[in-house]
Amino acid sequence: MHRHLHAIRPPAAPHVRRVEGPASARERGRVGGRPPALDAHGVDMARVLYEMKGDDGRRRHTVQQIADQLGVSRATVYRHLDPDKPVLA
């Protein structure tokens, strides 16, 4: 900040500026955080592919194949397939 602006508005304490930043962003429609790797359609697709069985009764696709097809990591596929872990997507 320029020196002459302090006469108009004294600098706020750091904790005040820290609170104002996210509040200002929310007013502009920003929410923050990393966007989810899979949207609802991707999660549904992963579940369908995972549940598909071959003629021999075994899974038709490995988790690695599903991850490659969806363009995500295996960990992301497992995270979305685990019913005990809530996913914020």
mmCIF file of all heavy atoms in Angstrom, residues 6-56:
data_model
loop_
_atom_site.group_PDB
_atom_site.id
_atom_site.type_symbol
_atom_site.label_atom_id
_atom_site.label_comp_id
_atom_site.label_asym_id
_atom_site.label_seq_id
_atom_site.Cartn_x
_atom_site.Cartn_y
_atom_site.Cartn_z
ATOM 1 N N HIS A 6 -2.735 5.332 3.969
ATOM 2 C CA HIS A 6 -2.936 5.075 5.395
ATOM 3 C C HIS A 6 -3.708 6.193 6.066
ATOM 4 O O HIS A 6 -4.404 5.969 7.044
ATOM 5 C CB HIS A 6 -1.593 4.878 6.107
ATOM 6 C CG HIS A 6 -0.914 3.616 5.708
ATOM 7 N ND1 HIS A 6 -1.441 2.391 5.983
ATOM 8 C CD2 HIS A 6 0.251 3.390 5.053
ATOM 9 C CE1 HIS A 6 -0.634 1.457 5.506
ATOM 10 N NE2 HIS A 6 0.404 2.039 4.933
ATOM 11 N N ALA A 7 -3.596 7.391 5.526
ATOM 12 C CA ALA A 7 -4.327 8.508 6.102
ATOM 13 C C ALA A 7 -5.821 8.364 5.839
ATOM 14 O O ALA A 7 -6.640 8.795 6.635
ATOM 15 C CB ALA A 7 -3.809 9.820 5.527
ATOM 16 N N ILE A 8 -6.174 7.727 4.728
ATOM 17 C CA ILE A 8 -7.580 7.541 4.380
ATOM 18 C C ILE A 8 -8.173 6.369 5.158
ATOM 19 O O ILE A 8 -9.229 6.472 5.767
ATOM 20 C CB ILE A 8 -7.736 7.288 2.865
ATOM 21 C CG1 ILE A 8 -7.220 8.476 2.076
ATOM 22 C CG2 ILE A 8 -9.180 6.997 2.510
ATOM 23 C CD1 ILE A 8 -7.089 8.199 0.603
ATOM 24 N N ARG A 9 -7.470 5.257 5.148
ATOM 25 C CA ARG A 9 -7.941 4.053 5.836
ATOM 26 C C ARG A 9 -6.754 3.398 6.513
ATOM 27 O O ARG A 9 -5.869 2.880 5.835
ATOM 28 C CB ARG A 9 -8.561 3.090 4.826
ATOM 29 C CG ARG A 9 -9.069 1.824 5.449
ATOM 30 C CD ARG A 9 -9.697 0.924 4.401
ATOM 31 N NE ARG A 9 -10.086 -0.325 5.030
ATOM 32 C CZ ARG A 9 -10.104 -1.482 4.431
ATOM 33 N NH1 ARG A 9 -9.775 -1.556 3.164
ATOM 34 N NH2 ARG A 9 -10.463 -2.564 5.057
ATOM 35 N N PRO A 10 -6.763 3.358 7.816
ATOM 36 C CA PRO A 10 -5.633 2.720 8.492
ATOM 37 C C PRO A 10 -5.625 1.222 8.187
ATOM 38 O O PRO A 10 -6.681 0.620 7.955
ATOM 39 C CB PRO A 10 -5.903 2.977 9.979
ATOM 40 C CG PRO A 10 -7.331 3.360 10.072
ATOM 41 C CD PRO A 10 -7.750 3.883 8.730
ATOM 42 N N PRO A 11 -4.445 0.623 8.136
ATOM 43 C CA PRO A 11 -4.384 -0.811 7.815
ATOM 44 C C PRO A 11 -5.091 -1.646 8.883
ATOM 45 O O PRO A 11 -4.990 -1.365 10.076
ATOM 46 C CB PRO A 11 -2.888 -1.107 7.774
ATOM 47 C CG PRO A 11 -2.249 -0.012 8.546
ATOM 48 C CD PRO A 11 -3.136 1.187 8.426
ATOM 49 N N ALA A 12 -5.846 -2.623 8.440
ATOM 50 C CA ALA A 12 -6.557 -3.515 9.363
ATOM 51 C C ALA A 12 -5.578 -4.528 9.941
ATOM 52 O O ALA A 12 -4.535 -4.816 9.363
ATOM 53 C CB ALA A 12 -7.675 -4.232 8.625
ATOM 54 N N ALA A 13 -5.939 -5.044 11.066
ATOM 55 C CA ALA A 13 -5.122 -6.083 11.693
ATOM 56 C C ALA A 13 -5.121 -7.311 10.789
ATOM 57 O O ALA A 13 -6.099 -7.557 10.063
ATOM 58 C CB ALA A 13 -5.689 -6.430 13.062
ATOM 59 N N PRO A 14 -4.052 -8.111 10.805
ATOM 60 C CA PRO A 14 -3.978 -9.284 9.912
ATOM 61 C C PRO A 14 -5.160 -10.238 10.048
ATOM 62 O O PRO A 14 -5.653 -10.758 9.057
ATOM 63 C CB PRO A 14 -2.677 -9.955 10.317
ATOM 64 C CG PRO A 14 -1.855 -8.866 10.911
ATOM 65 C CD PRO A 14 -2.832 -7.916 11.563
ATOM 66 N N HIS A 15 -5.634 -10.456 11.277
ATOM 67 C CA HIS A 15 -6.744 -11.414 11.439
ATOM 68 C C HIS A 15 -8.026 -10.889 10.796
ATOM 69 O O HIS A 15 -8.849 -11.661 10.324
ATOM 70 C CB HIS A 15 -6.958 -11.761 12.912
ATOM 71 C CG HIS A 15 -7.530 -10.648 13.725
ATOM 72 N ND1 HIS A 15 -6.750 -9.641 14.239
ATOM 73 C CD2 HIS A 15 -8.799 -10.365 14.112
ATOM 74 C CE1 HIS A 15 -7.504 -8.794 14.919
ATOM 75 N NE2 HIS A 15 -8.758 -9.210 14.844
ATOM 76 N N VAL A 16 -8.198 -9.578 10.751
ATOM 77 C CA VAL A 16 -9.385 -9.005 10.115
ATOM 78 C C VAL A 16 -9.298 -9.200 8.600
ATOM 79 O O VAL A 16 -10.262 -9.592 7.959
ATOM 80 C CB VAL A 16 -9.523 -7.508 10.468
ATOM 81 C CG1 VAL A 16 -10.649 -6.879 9.675
ATOM 82 C CG2 VAL A 16 -9.747 -7.348 11.959
ATOM 83 N N ARG A 17 -8.131 -8.944 8.021
ATOM 84 C CA ARG A 17 -7.963 -9.128 6.581
ATOM 85 C C ARG A 17 -8.138 -10.591 6.191
ATOM 86 O O ARG A 17 -8.669 -10.903 5.135
ATOM 87 C CB ARG A 17 -6.579 -8.634 6.141
ATOM 88 C CG ARG A 17 -6.460 -7.128 6.156
ATOM 89 C CD ARG A 17 -5.227 -6.660 5.415
ATOM 90 N NE ARG A 17 -4.006 -7.287 5.853
ATOM 91 C CZ ARG A 17 -3.180 -6.812 6.788
ATOM 92 N NH1 ARG A 17 -3.457 -5.673 7.388
ATOM 93 N NH2 ARG A 17 -2.088 -7.459 7.122
ATOM 94 N N ARG A 18 -7.687 -11.508 7.066
ATOM 95 C CA ARG A 18 -7.798 -12.936 6.778
ATOM 96 C C ARG A 18 -9.260 -13.362 6.706
ATOM 97 O O ARG A 18 -9.627 -14.229 5.932
ATOM 98 C CB ARG A 18 -7.065 -13.734 7.869
ATOM 99 C CG ARG A 18 -6.210 -14.813 7.332
ATOM 100 C CD ARG A 18 -5.443 -15.616 8.357
ATOM 101 N NE ARG A 18 -5.638 -15.354 9.745
ATOM 102 C CZ ARG A 18 -4.758 -14.694 10.526
ATOM 103 N NH1 ARG A 18 -3.659 -14.217 10.022
ATOM 104 N NH2 ARG A 18 -5.004 -14.531 11.800
ATOM 105 N N VAL A 19 -10.100 -12.770 7.514
ATOM 106 C CA VAL A 19 -11.532 -13.102 7.512
ATOM 107 C C VAL A 19 -12.232 -12.418 6.347
ATOM 108 O O VAL A 19 -13.137 -12.983 5.733
ATOM 109 C CB VAL A 19 -12.178 -12.695 8.858
ATOM 110 C CG1 VAL A 19 -13.682 -12.868 8.815
ATOM 111 C CG2 VAL A 19 -11.578 -13.504 9.987
ATOM 112 N N GLU A 20 -11.813 -11.218 6.018
ATOM 113 C CA GLU A 20 -12.457 -10.473 4.936
ATOM 114 C C GLU A 20 -12.225 -11.114 3.576
ATOM 115 O O GLU A 20 -13.101 -11.082 2.719
ATOM 116 C CB GLU A 20 -11.928 -9.036 4.903
ATOM 117 C CG GLU A 20 -12.413 -8.168 6.036
ATOM 118 C CD GLU A 20 -11.755 -6.792 6.025
ATOM 119 O OE1 GLU A 20 -10.829 -6.578 5.221
ATOM 120 O OE2 GLU A 20 -12.183 -5.951 6.828
ATOM 121 N N GLY A 21 -11.056 -11.706 3.361
ATOM 122 C CA GLY A 21 -10.725 -12.293 2.063
ATOM 123 C C GLY A 21 -11.704 -13.361 1.614
ATOM 124 O O GLY A 21 -12.336 -13.244 0.563
ATOM 125 N N PRO A 22 -11.878 -14.448 2.391
ATOM 126 C CA PRO A 22 -12.838 -15.494 1.983
ATOM 127 C C PRO A 22 -14.268 -14.981 1.902
ATOM 128 O O PRO A 22 -15.031 -15.390 1.033
ATOM 129 C CB PRO A 22 -12.697 -16.555 3.072
ATOM 130 C CG PRO A 22 -11.340 -16.336 3.642
ATOM 131 C CD PRO A 22 -11.075 -14.866 3.535
ATOM 132 N N ALA A 23 -14.642 -14.050 2.796
ATOM 133 C CA ALA A 23 -16.004 -13.513 2.754
ATOM 134 C C ALA A 23 -16.218 -12.745 1.451
ATOM 135 O O ALA A 23 -17.257 -12.866 0.799
ATOM 136 C CB ALA A 23 -16.249 -12.617 3.957
ATOM 137 N N SER A 24 -15.229 -11.965 1.067
ATOM 138 C CA SER A 24 -15.315 -11.216 -0.189
ATOM 139 C C SER A 24 -15.391 -12.168 -1.379
ATOM 140 O O SER A 24 -16.150 -11.944 -2.323
ATOM 141 C CB SER A 24 -14.097 -10.307 -0.313
ATOM 142 O OG SER A 24 -14.039 -9.718 -1.574
ATOM 143 N N ALA A 25 -14.625 -13.243 -1.339
ATOM 144 C CA ALA A 25 -14.644 -14.228 -2.430
ATOM 145 C C ALA A 25 -16.016 -14.892 -2.530
ATOM 146 O O ALA A 25 -16.528 -15.114 -3.627
ATOM 147 C CB ALA A 25 -13.557 -15.271 -2.213
ATOM 148 N N ARG A 26 -16.608 -15.242 -1.397
ATOM 149 C CA ARG A 26 -17.935 -15.869 -1.414
ATOM 150 C C ARG A 26 -18.976 -14.926 -2.027
ATOM 151 O O ARG A 26 -19.870 -15.362 -2.752
ATOM 152 C CB ARG A 26 -18.354 -16.278 -0.003
ATOM 153 C CG ARG A 26 -17.765 -17.602 0.423
ATOM 154 C CD ARG A 26 -18.389 -18.103 1.713
ATOM 155 N NE ARG A 26 -18.058 -17.251 2.849
ATOM 156 C CZ ARG A 26 -16.942 -17.349 3.560
ATOM 157 N NH1 ARG A 26 -16.051 -18.255 3.272
ATOM 158 N NH2 ARG A 26 -16.727 -16.539 4.575
ATOM 159 N N GLU A 27 -18.854 -13.629 -1.732
ATOM 160 C CA GLU A 27 -19.782 -12.665 -2.314
ATOM 161 C C GLU A 27 -19.671 -12.641 -3.840
ATOM 162 O O GLU A 27 -20.646 -12.377 -4.531
ATOM 163 C CB GLU A 27 -19.502 -11.264 -1.760
ATOM 164 C CG GLU A 27 -19.932 -11.088 -0.320
ATOM 165 C CD GLU A 27 -19.505 -9.739 0.245
ATOM 166 O OE1 GLU A 27 -19.006 -8.885 -0.530
ATOM 167 O OE2 GLU A 27 -19.669 -9.546 1.449
ATOM 168 N N ARG A 28 -18.469 -12.916 -4.344
ATOM 169 C CA ARG A 28 -18.260 -12.937 -5.793
ATOM 170 C C ARG A 28 -18.569 -14.302 -6.397
ATOM 171 O O ARG A 28 -18.350 -14.531 -7.583
ATOM 172 C CB ARG A 28 -16.810 -12.550 -6.108
ATOM 173 C CG ARG A 28 -16.460 -11.122 -5.725
ATOM 174 C CD ARG A 28 -15.097 -10.702 -6.245
ATOM 175 N NE ARG A 28 -14.054 -11.691 -6.060
ATOM 176 C CZ ARG A 28 -13.218 -11.763 -5.029
ATOM 177 N NH1 ARG A 28 -13.334 -10.898 -4.040
ATOM 178 N NH2 ARG A 28 -12.280 -12.679 -4.973
ATOM 179 N N GLY A 29 -19.054 -15.249 -5.578
ATOM 180 C CA GLY A 29 -19.435 -16.550 -6.090
ATOM 181 C C GLY A 29 -18.327 -17.583 -6.082
ATOM 182 O O GLY A 29 -18.460 -18.649 -6.670
ATOM 183 N N ARG A 30 -17.224 -17.297 -5.427
ATOM 184 C CA ARG A 30 -16.109 -18.247 -5.336
ATOM 185 C C ARG A 30 -16.273 -19.068 -4.065
ATOM 186 O O ARG A 30 -16.641 -18.545 -3.031
ATOM 187 C CB ARG A 30 -14.764 -17.513 -5.272
ATOM 188 C CG ARG A 30 -14.580 -16.443 -6.289
ATOM 189 C CD ARG A 30 -14.338 -17.044 -7.633
ATOM 190 N NE ARG A 30 -14.179 -15.990 -8.626
ATOM 191 C CZ ARG A 30 -13.470 -16.115 -9.693
ATOM 192 N NH1 ARG A 30 -12.855 -17.236 -9.951
ATOM 193 N NH2 ARG A 30 -13.388 -15.139 -10.552
ATOM 194 N N VAL A 31 -15.981 -20.361 -4.152
ATOM 195 C CA VAL A 31 -16.112 -21.202 -2.970
ATOM 196 C C VAL A 31 -14.778 -21.749 -2.485
ATOM 197 O O VAL A 31 -14.651 -22.122 -1.337
ATOM 198 C CB VAL A 31 -17.097 -22.366 -3.196
ATOM 199 C CG1 VAL A 31 -18.517 -21.849 -3.291
ATOM 200 C CG2 VAL A 31 -16.734 -23.158 -4.411
ATOM 201 N N GLY A 32 -13.795 -21.844 -3.345
ATOM 202 C CA GLY A 32 -12.476 -22.311 -2.930
ATOM 203 C C GLY A 32 -12.370 -23.820 -2.950
ATOM 204 O O GLY A 32 -13.348 -24.543 -3.153
ATOM 205 N N GLY A 33 -11.176 -24.293 -2.767
ATOM 206 C CA GLY A 33 -10.930 -25.721 -2.761
ATOM 207 C C GLY A 33 -10.684 -26.264 -4.155
ATOM 208 O O GLY A 33 -10.940 -25.610 -5.165
ATOM 209 N N ARG A 34 -10.173 -27.467 -4.185
ATOM 210 C CA ARG A 34 -9.880 -28.113 -5.451
ATOM 211 C C ARG A 34 -11.153 -28.731 -6.027
ATOM 212 O O ARG A 34 -11.919 -29.357 -5.295
ATOM 213 C CB ARG A 34 -8.827 -29.196 -5.214
ATOM 214 C CG ARG A 34 -8.358 -29.874 -6.477
ATOM 215 C CD ARG A 34 -7.260 -30.880 -6.134
ATOM 216 N NE ARG A 34 -6.823 -31.573 -7.306
ATOM 217 C CZ ARG A 34 -5.800 -31.180 -8.071
ATOM 218 N NH1 ARG A 34 -5.127 -30.109 -7.733
ATOM 219 N NH2 ARG A 34 -5.461 -31.868 -9.128
ATOM 220 N N PRO A 35 -11.397 -28.596 -7.321
ATOM 221 C CA PRO A 35 -12.587 -29.214 -7.898
ATOM 222 C C PRO A 35 -12.493 -30.744 -7.832
ATOM 223 O O PRO A 35 -11.393 -31.294 -7.906
ATOM 224 C CB PRO A 35 -12.598 -28.750 -9.352
ATOM 225 C CG PRO A 35 -11.384 -27.948 -9.568
ATOM 226 C CD PRO A 35 -10.635 -27.833 -8.284
ATOM 227 N N PRO A 36 -13.614 -31.422 -7.670
ATOM 228 C CA PRO A 36 -13.565 -32.881 -7.585
ATOM 229 C C PRO A 36 -13.066 -33.514 -8.880
ATOM 230 O O PRO A 36 -13.338 -33.012 -9.973
ATOM 231 C CB PRO A 36 -15.008 -33.290 -7.305
ATOM 232 C CG PRO A 36 -15.841 -32.107 -7.624
ATOM 233 C CD PRO A 36 -14.969 -30.898 -7.562
ATOM 234 N N ALA A 37 -12.311 -34.601 -8.744
ATOM 235 C CA ALA A 37 -11.768 -35.297 -9.913
ATOM 236 C C ALA A 37 -12.870 -35.991 -10.703
ATOM 237 O O ALA A 37 -12.787 -36.111 -11.922
ATOM 238 C CB ALA A 37 -10.708 -36.303 -9.483
ATOM 239 N N LEU A 38 -13.888 -36.470 -10.003
ATOM 240 C CA LEU A 38 -15.009 -37.148 -10.661
ATOM 241 C C LEU A 38 -16.307 -36.429 -10.332
ATOM 242 O O LEU A 38 -16.583 -36.143 -9.168
ATOM 243 C CB LEU A 38 -15.123 -38.596 -10.166
ATOM 244 C CG LEU A 38 -14.111 -39.607 -10.670
ATOM 245 C CD1 LEU A 38 -14.361 -40.963 -10.023
ATOM 246 C CD2 LEU A 38 -14.166 -39.726 -12.175
ATOM 247 N N ASP A 39 -17.109 -36.177 -11.346
ATOM 248 C CA ASP A 39 -18.437 -35.632 -11.103
ATOM 249 C C ASP A 39 -19.392 -36.804 -10.854
ATOM 250 O O ASP A 39 -18.980 -37.971 -10.831
ATOM 251 C CB ASP A 39 -18.895 -34.764 -12.274
ATOM 252 C CG ASP A 39 -18.931 -35.522 -13.599
ATOM 253 O OD1 ASP A 39 -18.698 -36.743 -13.600
ATOM 254 O OD2 ASP A 39 -19.207 -34.883 -14.628
ATOM 255 N N ALA A 40 -20.670 -36.520 -10.661
ATOM 256 C CA ALA A 40 -21.644 -37.569 -10.356
ATOM 257 C C ALA A 40 -21.704 -38.613 -11.469
ATOM 258 O O ALA A 40 -21.804 -39.823 -11.200
ATOM 259 C CB ALA A 40 -23.020 -36.949 -10.125
ATOM 260 N N HIS A 41 -21.611 -38.167 -12.719
ATOM 261 C CA HIS A 41 -21.635 -39.106 -13.844
ATOM 262 C C HIS A 41 -20.418 -40.032 -13.802
ATOM 263 O O HIS A 41 -20.538 -41.239 -14.044
ATOM 264 C CB HIS A 41 -21.673 -38.342 -15.167
ATOM 265 C CG HIS A 41 -21.615 -39.219 -16.368
ATOM 266 N ND1 HIS A 41 -22.677 -40.001 -16.769
ATOM 267 C CD2 HIS A 41 -20.615 -39.479 -17.248
ATOM 268 C CE1 HIS A 41 -22.337 -40.685 -17.847
ATOM 269 N NE2 HIS A 41 -21.085 -40.388 -18.162
ATOM 270 N N GLY A 42 -19.247 -39.482 -13.492
ATOM 271 C CA GLY A 42 -18.027 -40.283 -13.396
ATOM 272 C C GLY A 42 -18.102 -41.314 -12.284
ATOM 273 O O GLY A 42 -17.650 -42.452 -12.447
ATOM 274 N N VAL A 43 -18.690 -40.925 -11.160
ATOM 275 C CA VAL A 43 -18.848 -41.863 -10.042
ATOM 276 C C VAL A 43 -19.785 -42.996 -10.441
ATOM 277 O O VAL A 43 -19.507 -44.173 -10.186
ATOM 278 C CB VAL A 43 -19.381 -41.133 -8.784
ATOM 279 C CG1 VAL A 43 -19.709 -42.117 -7.682
ATOM 280 C CG2 VAL A 43 -18.372 -40.097 -8.298
ATOM 281 N N ASP A 44 -20.894 -42.652 -11.091
ATOM 282 C CA ASP A 44 -21.833 -43.686 -11.559
ATOM 283 C C ASP A 44 -21.155 -44.628 -12.552
ATOM 284 O O ASP A 44 -21.328 -45.850 -12.481
ATOM 285 C CB ASP A 44 -23.066 -43.046 -12.210
ATOM 286 C CG ASP A 44 -23.948 -42.322 -11.203
ATOM 287 O OD1 ASP A 44 -23.831 -42.607 -9.995
ATOM 288 O OD2 ASP A 44 -24.739 -41.461 -11.637
ATOM 289 N N MET A 45 -20.367 -44.052 -13.461
ATOM 290 C CA MET A 45 -19.661 -44.858 -14.453
ATOM 291 C C MET A 45 -18.669 -45.803 -13.760
ATOM 292 O O MET A 45 -18.582 -46.985 -14.108
ATOM 293 C CB MET A 45 -18.920 -43.947 -15.427
ATOM 294 C CG MET A 45 -18.104 -44.695 -16.446
ATOM 295 S SD MET A 45 -19.097 -45.453 -17.724
ATOM 296 C CE MET A 45 -19.433 -44.031 -18.708
ATOM 297 N N ALA A 46 -17.953 -45.304 -12.787
ATOM 298 C CA ALA A 46 -16.985 -46.139 -12.058
ATOM 299 C C ALA A 46 -17.691 -47.300 -11.369
ATOM 300 O O ALA A 46 -17.217 -48.440 -11.413
ATOM 301 C CB ALA A 46 -16.224 -45.295 -11.038
ATOM 302 N N ARG A 47 -18.825 -47.010 -10.752
ATOM 303 C CA ARG A 47 -19.568 -48.077 -10.051
ATOM 304 C C ARG A 47 -20.088 -49.130 -11.024
ATOM 305 O O ARG A 47 -20.018 -50.323 -10.752
ATOM 306 C CB ARG A 47 -20.714 -47.466 -9.257
ATOM 307 C CG ARG A 47 -20.225 -46.730 -8.043
ATOM 308 C CD ARG A 47 -21.326 -46.391 -7.082
ATOM 309 N NE ARG A 47 -20.744 -45.800 -5.890
ATOM 310 C CZ ARG A 47 -21.133 -44.661 -5.364
ATOM 311 N NH1 ARG A 47 -22.136 -44.000 -5.901
ATOM 312 N NH2 ARG A 47 -20.547 -44.181 -4.295
ATOM 313 N N VAL A 48 -20.608 -48.681 -12.163
ATOM 314 C CA VAL A 48 -21.124 -49.625 -13.166
ATOM 315 C C VAL A 48 -19.992 -50.509 -13.680
ATOM 316 O O VAL A 48 -20.132 -51.736 -13.758
ATOM 317 C CB VAL A 48 -21.818 -48.864 -14.327
ATOM 318 C CG1 VAL A 48 -22.068 -49.781 -15.503
ATOM 319 C CG2 VAL A 48 -23.112 -48.240 -13.847
ATOM 320 N N LEU A 49 -18.871 -49.893 -14.044
ATOM 321 C CA LEU A 49 -17.733 -50.664 -14.557
ATOM 322 C C LEU A 49 -17.208 -51.636 -13.510
ATOM 323 O O LEU A 49 -16.829 -52.765 -13.819
ATOM 324 C CB LEU A 49 -16.619 -49.729 -15.018
ATOM 325 C CG LEU A 49 -16.923 -48.888 -16.262
ATOM 326 C CD1 LEU A 49 -15.828 -47.858 -16.480
ATOM 327 C CD2 LEU A 49 -17.089 -49.770 -17.478
ATOM 328 N N TYR A 50 -17.181 -51.209 -12.260
ATOM 329 C CA TYR A 50 -16.655 -52.049 -11.185
ATOM 330 C C TYR A 50 -17.548 -53.265 -10.946
ATOM 331 O O TYR A 50 -17.066 -54.353 -10.642
ATOM 332 C CB TYR A 50 -16.532 -51.225 -9.903
ATOM 333 C CG TYR A 50 -15.852 -51.948 -8.769
ATOM 334 C CD1 TYR A 50 -14.481 -52.150 -8.782
ATOM 335 C CD2 TYR A 50 -16.577 -52.426 -7.682
ATOM 336 C CE1 TYR A 50 -13.843 -52.810 -7.747
ATOM 337 C CE2 TYR A 50 -15.949 -53.085 -6.650
ATOM 338 C CZ TYR A 50 -14.584 -53.272 -6.678
ATOM 339 O OH TYR A 50 -13.958 -53.928 -5.650
ATOM 340 N N GLU A 51 -18.848 -53.077 -11.077
ATOM 341 C CA GLU A 51 -19.792 -54.162 -10.804
ATOM 342 C C GLU A 51 -19.969 -55.120 -11.983
ATOM 343 O O GLU A 51 -20.536 -56.203 -11.807
ATOM 344 C CB GLU A 51 -21.158 -53.588 -10.403
ATOM 345 C CG GLU A 51 -21.137 -52.822 -9.089
ATOM 346 C CD GLU A 51 -20.686 -53.668 -7.912
ATOM 347 O OE1 GLU A 51 -20.986 -54.882 -7.875
ATOM 348 O OE2 GLU A 51 -20.012 -53.119 -7.026
ATOM 349 N N MET A 52 -19.506 -54.749 -13.162
ATOM 350 C CA MET A 52 -19.664 -55.624 -14.329
ATOM 351 C C MET A 52 -18.903 -56.931 -14.122
ATOM 352 O O MET A 52 -17.758 -56.929 -13.687
ATOM 353 C CB MET A 52 -19.140 -54.940 -15.595
ATOM 354 C CG MET A 52 -20.001 -53.824 -16.095
ATOM 355 S SD MET A 52 -19.248 -53.041 -17.521
ATOM 356 C CE MET A 52 -20.152 -53.859 -18.809
ATOM 357 N N LYS A 53 -19.559 -58.045 -14.444
ATOM 358 C CA LYS A 53 -18.943 -59.366 -14.305
ATOM 359 C C LYS A 53 -18.781 -60.000 -15.689
ATOM 360 O O LYS A 53 -19.607 -59.797 -16.577
ATOM 361 C CB LYS A 53 -19.819 -60.290 -13.454
ATOM 362 C CG LYS A 53 -20.175 -59.750 -12.088
ATOM 363 C CD LYS A 53 -19.053 -59.903 -11.118
ATOM 364 C CE LYS A 53 -19.527 -59.399 -9.757
ATOM 365 N NZ LYS A 53 -18.640 -59.623 -8.708
ATOM 366 N N GLY A 54 -17.730 -60.775 -15.845
ATOM 367 C CA GLY A 54 -17.513 -61.512 -17.074
ATOM 368 C C GLY A 54 -18.255 -62.838 -17.036
ATOM 369 O O GLY A 54 -18.958 -63.154 -16.066
ATOM 370 N N ASP A 55 -18.102 -63.642 -18.075
ATOM 371 C CA ASP A 55 -18.759 -64.946 -18.143
ATOM 372 C C ASP A 55 -18.270 -65.883 -17.045
ATOM 373 O O ASP A 55 -18.995 -66.781 -16.628
ATOM 374 C CB ASP A 55 -18.507 -65.594 -19.513
ATOM 375 C CG ASP A 55 -19.165 -64.804 -20.634
ATOM 376 O OD1 ASP A 55 -20.172 -64.106 -20.357
ATOM 377 O OD2 ASP A 55 -18.674 -64.884 -21.775
ATOM 378 N N ASP A 56 -17.044 -65.661 -16.586
ATOM 379 C CA ASP A 56 -16.478 -66.521 -15.544
ATOM 380 C C ASP A 56 -16.863 -66.069 -14.135
ATOM 381 O O ASP A 56 -16.443 -66.666 -13.151
ATOM 382 C CB ASP A 56 -14.957 -66.575 -15.672
ATOM 383 C CG ASP A 56 -14.314 -65.204 -15.602
ATOM 384 O OD1 ASP A 56 -15.051 -64.202 -15.472
ATOM 385 O OD2 ASP A 56 -13.072 -65.136 -15.680
#
